[in-house]
């Protein structure tokens, strides 16, 4: 049920699991029985070998119609959001609520804003579709060295298919926690660019507590400057289909990122996250820890964790892990870690993935202290997810998330 | 007065090689306030007895019974046994990530008493017990057994013993892996719990050294799934000198 591995300094190049892309067609022996090109029509097509080489474009027409067979879409129910991948999107401004905070400005800026496109570019059709339509981008700009927090809430997007763009910039040496809170209904494809100047210390939390009908496809692109630190947290609890894909480039020497995720899929929910960390500078460090629970018929989660340690990234240290706790029959959790290393000079690189049911020994221990099986299960699930909550670093938000997890757990009692 | 009776207990366990018989007719009666030591070589079934009393699902009771004041323990769920007054201090307590010691203790106490303990006296009791066991205050906010050293885990078990106040406690190799200072602290905790509540104790151990600090009323030598010999504390002294050799000769054949 579990797999874990770690690579030491000596590993020079590894792309181990779970299934390496097929080798290029031209290297296949000719005439051997059973080996031929795929019959999907793309004759002679050679899959991308390195994560950073993936095709990127801001122009939706550059991407073929989504079929559901593409690497980025093959785990998603693409037929349920063709309006976001192929339809016309509403790119107008929308209503936000916010808790004002000194030294953090929140404003709408035009498409000509110099920051747009500096943190990353779309790698799939829904992202490009959103990129093409937004009238103005919401820009959250952090300055000032003292710690501060802001919450930007969207609760009235409605069920119109929308495209949106957000910029979060932390000026050099600035420090803040930015919480993007999402509630209500939505059919949204969006791009969020996160730009950290030198030595900035930024926490970004994307909180998905949508209504049951909401569909949300998000790509977060982060670029982290020298000695800057980004903590990025994805919390997905509510919504029908929620796909939040953070893509982080450690661009400056000594840059550091901690990517956390917490998700709880109920019956029929699809919660997905494709995480990509690109070590593109020496002495950069990354940690990825995503934890999820699944409960109910057709509860579905997907986690893909790509880590690329580029040839400029000597002396880097990285570790990614995903853990899933399966609470009932009829669920499915995909967990796909990929690690690609282009330099031999690293401090550490490892990954781990485990998906399993309750640990019987934990339950026995708790029950042997008089705690009923039901309560013991709740304690274990709560504990499992709390590990991520405890690392967010915002006491108010942590308390709120504990309550939200309690609410999810009450749901599990009836089953 | 409470009494725990084990009658002709036969227990097996499923292994890769098939069903393995471990306990072969154990008879033992423990009265409240008594300390019984069960000693024996590795693989004799001592821990199986401990886990069978607690109700671990891995162990299958073939026949026999365990009665707590006349009530059949074997019919109770694991948690019902604890609420009835049984406690097992484990040899290898498991980690419960994300659950703090404070939260765990309060949840367990509430489950056993049927109502939440009064806040003020409870906090005082917890603090006092932790101080007695030389446990730093910070333990309370750490996750249960997570990152605890071997000695810390054992102290945490005895902390629960003191606070949950069972009628009978089974201590499964609580002495293993403890240095002499930790052994003294843990033993003091056990003696204090007994002095305060008058509980009955079943002390499972391979070595005699814990018996220097916790004095048994009865010593039972466990060999090949049953009690081979019993006596008073003098039997422990003899085992200290001679080891288990004289018991092992005939039993290895069968």
């Amino acid at each position: 049920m579990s797999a874990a591995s770690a690579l030491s300094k000596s590993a020079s190049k590894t792309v181990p699991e779970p299934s390496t892309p097929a080798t290029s067609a031209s290297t296949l022996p000719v005439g051997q029985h059973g080996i031929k090109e795929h019959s999907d029509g793309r004759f002679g097509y050679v899959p991308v070998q390195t994560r950073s080489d993936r095709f990127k474009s801001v122009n939706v027409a550059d991407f073929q119609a989504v079929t559901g067979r593409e690497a980025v879409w093959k785990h998603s129910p693409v037929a349920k959001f063709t309006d976001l991948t192929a339809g016309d999107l509403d790119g107008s401004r929308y209503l936000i609520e916010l808790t004002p905070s000194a030294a953090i400005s929140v404003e709408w800026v035009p498409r000509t804003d110099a920051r747009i496109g500096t943190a990353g570019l779309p790698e799939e059709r829904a992202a490009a579709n959103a990129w093409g339509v937004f009238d103005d981008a919401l820009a959250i700009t952090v300055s000032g060295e003292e710690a501060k927090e802001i919450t930007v809430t969207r609760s009235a997007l409605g069920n119109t298919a929308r495209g949106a763009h957000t910029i979060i910039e932390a000026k050099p040496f600035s420090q803040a926690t930015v919480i993007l809170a999402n509630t209500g209904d939505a059919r949204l494809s969006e791009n969020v660019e996160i730009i950290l100047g030198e030595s900035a210390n930024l926490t970004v939390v994307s909180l998905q507590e949508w209504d049951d009908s909401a569909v949300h496809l998000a790509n977060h692109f982060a670029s982290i400057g020298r000695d800057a630190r980004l903590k990025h947290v994805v919390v997905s609890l509510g919504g029908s289909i929620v796909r939040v894909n953070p893509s982080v480039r450690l661009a400056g020497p000594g840059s550091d990122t901690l990517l956390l995720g917490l998700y709880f899929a109920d019956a029929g929910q699809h919660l997905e996250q494709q995480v990509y960390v690109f070590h593109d500078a020496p002495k950069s460090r990354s940690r990825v820890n995503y934890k999820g629970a699944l409960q109910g018929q057709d509860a579905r989660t997907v986690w893909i964790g790509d880590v690329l340690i580029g040839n400029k990234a000597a002396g880097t240290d990285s570790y990614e892990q995903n853990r899933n706790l399966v609470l009932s029959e009829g669920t499915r959790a995909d967990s796909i870690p990929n690690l690609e290393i282009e330099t031999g000079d690293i401090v550490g690189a490892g990954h781990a993935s485990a998906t399993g049911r309750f640990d019987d020994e934990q339950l026995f221990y708790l029950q042997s202290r008089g705690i009923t099986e039901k309560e013991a299960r709740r304690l274990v699930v709560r504990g499992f997810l709390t590990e991520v909550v405890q690392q967010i670093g915002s006491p108010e938000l942590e308390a709120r998330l504990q309550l939200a997890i309690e609410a999810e757990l009450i749901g599990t009692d009836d089953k | 007065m409470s009494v725990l009776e084990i009658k002709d207990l036969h227990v097996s366990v499923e292994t890769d090689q098939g069903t393995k018989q471990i306990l072969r007719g154990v008879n033992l009666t423990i009265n409240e306030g008594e300390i019984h030591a069960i000693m024996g070589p590795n693989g004799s079934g001592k821990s199986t007895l401990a886990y069978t009393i607690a109700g671990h699902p891995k162990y299958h009771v073939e026949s026999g019974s365990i009665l707590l004041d006349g009530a059949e323990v074997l019919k109770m769920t694991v948690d019902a046994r604890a609420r009835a007054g049984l406690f097992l201090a484990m040899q290898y307590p498991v980690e419960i990530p994300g659950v703090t010691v404070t939260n765990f203790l309060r949840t367990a106490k509430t489950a056993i008493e049927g109502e939440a303990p009064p806040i003020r006296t409870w906090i005082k009791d917890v603090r006092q017990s932790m101080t007695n066991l030389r446990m730093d205050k910070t333990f309370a906010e750490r996750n249960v057994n997570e990152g605890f050293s071997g000695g810390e885990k054992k102290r945490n078990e005895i902390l629960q013993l003191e606070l949950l106040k069972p009628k009978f406690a089974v201590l499964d190799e609580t002495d293993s892996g403890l240095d002499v200072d930790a052994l003294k602290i843990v033993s003091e905790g056990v003696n204090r719990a007994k002095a305060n509540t008058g509980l009955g104790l079943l002390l499972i151990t391979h070595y005699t050294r814990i018996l220097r600090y916790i004095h048994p009323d009865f010593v039972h030598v466990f060999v090949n799934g049953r009690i081979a010999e019993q006596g008073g504390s003098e039997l422990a002294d003899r085992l200290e000198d001679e080891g288990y050799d004289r018991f092992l000769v005939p039993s290895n054949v069968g």
Side-chain angles (χ1 to χ4, degrees):
Chain A
M1 291 290 256
S2 75
S5 69
L7 289 163
S8 67
K9 204 171 177 172
S10 61
S12 59
K13 177 154 182 144
T14 313
V15 191
E17 47 175 275
S19 55
T20 0
T23 29
S24 130
S26 59
T27 65
L28 294 175
V30 180
Q32 187 181 330
H33 177 73
I35 296 184
K36 57 180 181 176
E37 286 172 344
H38 281 286
S39 56
D40 64 359
R42 294 192 286 175
F43 299 105
Y45 170 73
V46 180
V48 169
Q49 296 296 306
T50 295
R51 183 64 174 82
S52 59
D53 287 348
R54 274 196 199 167
F55 178 73
K56 300 177 184 66
S57 172
V58 297
N59 183 3
V60 67
D62 291 344
F63 293 91
Q64 300 204 339
V66 172
T67 63
R69 291 192 293 271
E70 302 84 352
V72 289
W73 291 115
K74 67 179 181 183
H75 300 283
S76 308
V78 294
K80 292 183 179 166
F81 48 79
T82 51
D83 53 341
L84 298 177
T85 55
D88 293 330
L89 302 178
D90 176 357
S92 62
R93 293 182 186 185
Y94 48 85
L95 190 67
I96 56 165
E97 299 151 51
L98 53 93
T99 54
S101 175
I104 301 180
S105 78
V106 179
E107 61 194 328
W108 293 95
V109 297
R111 296 180 63 93
T112 51
D113 191 284
R115 293 170 292 187
I116 290 173
T118 57
L121 298 170
E123 293 180 356
E124 38 87 347
R125 205 166 201 278
N129 202 15
W131 200 290
V133 301
F134 69 92
D135 294 339
D136 299 295
L138 181 67
I140 301 167
T141 309
V142 175
S143 52
E145 295 191 20
E146 68 291 346
K148 52 206 163 288
E149 184 173 308
I150 190 170
T151 301
V152 179
T153 305
R154 296 184 290 196
S155 56
L157 292 181
N159 59 8
T160 311
R162 282 182 173 276
H165 199 100
T166 303
I167 302 162
I168 303 172
E169 185 194 9
K171 298 278 191 190
F173 301 99
S174 68
Q175 188 181 172
T177 296
V178 175
I179 299 165
L180 307 172
N182 297 303
T183 58
D185 198 4
R187 293 195 74 83
L188 173 67
S189 175
E190 65 167 341
N191 296 292
V192 177
E193 293 191 70
I194 302 167
I195 304 151
L196 275 75
E198 284 187 18
S199 296
N201 185 354
L202 180 69
T203 298
V204 173
V205 183
S206 184
L207 185 54
Q208 285 69 241
E209 294 183 288
W210 299 109
D211 287 352
D212 291 343
S213 54
V215 176
H216 179 205
L217 309 178
N219 284 278
H220 288 206
F221 304 100
S223 174
I224 309 180
R226 170 188 284 266
D227 296 327
R229 182 166 198 275
L230 171 67
K231 189 191 289 183
H232 185 275
V233 190
V234 177
V235 179
S236 293
L237 300 174
S240 168
I241 300 165
V242 178
R243 208 177 107 119
V244 179
N245 298 347
S247 177
V248 175
R249 180 166 160 258
L250 292 154
S255 53
D256 185 338
T257 191
L258 171 63
L259 302 175
L260 299 171
L262 171 66
Y263 47 96
F264 197 125
D266 298 319
Q269 261 188 320
H270 178 100
L271 304 179
E272 178 167 353
Q273 30 266 311
Q274 299 186 13
V275 184
Y276 169 38
V277 179
F278 180 18
H279 284 263
D280 199 20
K283 305 253 190 260
S284 51
R285 183 177 187 276
S286 69
R287 289 290 181 272
V288 178
N289 187 12
Y290 271 65
K291 296 185 101 170
L294 299 89
Q295 160 84 37
Q297 189 60 40
D298 296 325
R300 176 80 200 273
T301 67
V302 179
W303 178 86
I304 300 174
D306 295 337
V307 174
L308 168 61
I309 298 168
N311 55 19
K312 284 188 278 181
T316 60
D317 183 10
S318 69
Y319 195 85
E320 58 167 349
Q321 75 161 344
N322 175 227
R323 299 256 183 270
N324 295 298
L325 188 54
V326 174
L327 305 178
S328 76
E329 301 289 328
T331 65
R332 174 171 169 173
D334 287 87
S335 180
I336 307 165
N338 298 298
L339 179 56
E340 213 177 330
I341 306 176
E342 295 179 337
T343 174
D345 179 16
I346 57 170
V347 174
H351 59 183
S353 162
T355 298
R357 300 187 68 94
F358 280 105
D359 181 332
D360 290 339
E361 293 303 322
Q362 289 180 351
L363 288 181
F364 173 73
Y365 188 77
L366 293 168
Q367 284 183 266
S368 78
R369 300 309 184 237
I371 299 166
T372 60
E373 185 179 348
K374 191 170 89 175
E375 179 68 14
R377 284 175 183 275
R378 282 175 58 166
L379 268 179
V380 171
V381 182
R382 196 187 292 146
F384 174 79
L385 296 175
T386 293
E387 191 209 325
V388 171
V389 177
Q390 284 169 341
Q391 293 181 69
I392 294 175
S394 165
E396 264 177 53
L397 180 60
E398 287 177 21
R400 210 181 114 201
L401 286 177
Q402 296 287 12
L403 291 176
I405 291 170
E406 289 303 312
E408 294 277 351
L409 288 170
I410 286 165
T412 68
D413 279 356
D414 310 327
K415 313 252 163 65
Chain B
M1 191 168 88
S2 282
V3 56
L4 181 67
E5 298 166 277
I6 299 166
K7 294 181 173 173
D8 197 26
L9 191 65
H10 289 75
V11 174
S12 64
V13 62
E14 294 300 324
T15 69
D16 294 340
Q17 288 81 40
T19 305
K20 192 179 172 208
Q21 193 70 31
I22 299 185
L23 299 187
R24 304 160 190 266
V26 177
N27 289 288
L28 187 61
T29 300
I30 306 170
N31 290 305
E32 202 180 311
E34 290 177 355
I35 301 180
H36 292 246
I38 290 201
M39 306 189 62
N42 292 329
S44 58
K46 306 187 299 287
S47 285
T48 297
L49 178 63
Y51 279 91
T52 303
I53 294 170
H56 194 288
K58 185 177 145 191
Y59 300 97
H60 178 64
V61 177
E62 311 255 313
S63 62
S65 70
I66 301 175
L67 301 174
L68 175 59
D69 296 331
E72 182 53 81
V73 169
L74 295 174
K75 287 182 184 153
M76 300 179 193
T77 58
V78 175
D79 46 305
R81 294 177 196 208
R83 291 195 298 272
L86 296 177
F87 181 88
L88 170 62
M90 298 191 197
Q91 185 178 3
Y92 302 111
V94 298
E95 298 181 1
I96 318 278
V99 179
T100 62
V101 170
T102 303
N103 182 13
F104 168 63
L105 290 173
R106 195 178 52 239
T107 306
K109 186 68 176 174
T110 304
I112 284 181
E113 299 292 327
E115 58 179 2
I119 286 268
R120 192 180 291 175
T121 53
W122 173 246
I123 290 174
K124 209 174 112 230
D125 290 350
V126 173
R127 282 205 187 128
Q128 186 58 51
S129 294
M130 287 180 63
T131 307
N132 291 343
L133 289 164
R134 320 278 201 282
M135 294 171 81
D136 190 85
K137 275 192 303 221
T138 56
F139 262 91
E141 293 314 315
R142 287 170 68 183
N143 294 331
V144 176
N145 293 322
E146 199 176 68
F148 285 23
S149 69
E152 288 169 342
K153 284 182 182 171
K154 297 297 172 69
R155 277 186 241 189
N156 190 37
E157 294 294 285
I158 303 308
L159 176 68
Q160 296 166 48
L161 171 69
E162 285 203 58
L163 293 168
L164 300 180
K165 300 185 172 27
K167 290 179 190 163
F168 291 96
V170 181
L171 309 185
D172 186 18
E173 309 228 2
T174 295
D175 52 337
S176 69
L178 293 184
D179 64 31
V180 66
D181 295 322
L183 182 62
K184 278 184 195 167
I185 290 166
V186 161
S187 301
E188 280 168 23
V190 174
N191 289 329
R192 202 163 43 236
K194 180 169 176 287
N196 288 338
T197 65
L199 82 166
L201 281 169
L202 187 59
L203 197 64
I204 290 175
T205 180
H206 185 87
Y207 304 104
T208 53
R209 68 184 188 129
I210 194 173
L211 305 181
R212 277 180 247 153
Y213 307 102
I214 305 174
H215 304 293
D217 302 302
F218 304 94
V219 173
H220 312 269
V221 181
F222 222 65
V223 178
N224 204 20
R226 61 166 76 92
I227 291 168
E229 188 170 338
Q230 41 198 338
S233 57
E234 75 288 345
L235 182 54
D237 298 335
R238 197 175 158 199
L239 288 170
E240 171 87 19
D241 296 338
E242 300 176 3
Y244 297 110
D245 280 356
R246 71 190 166 96
F247 297 104
L248 290 175
V249 179
S251 62
N252 269 359
V253 181

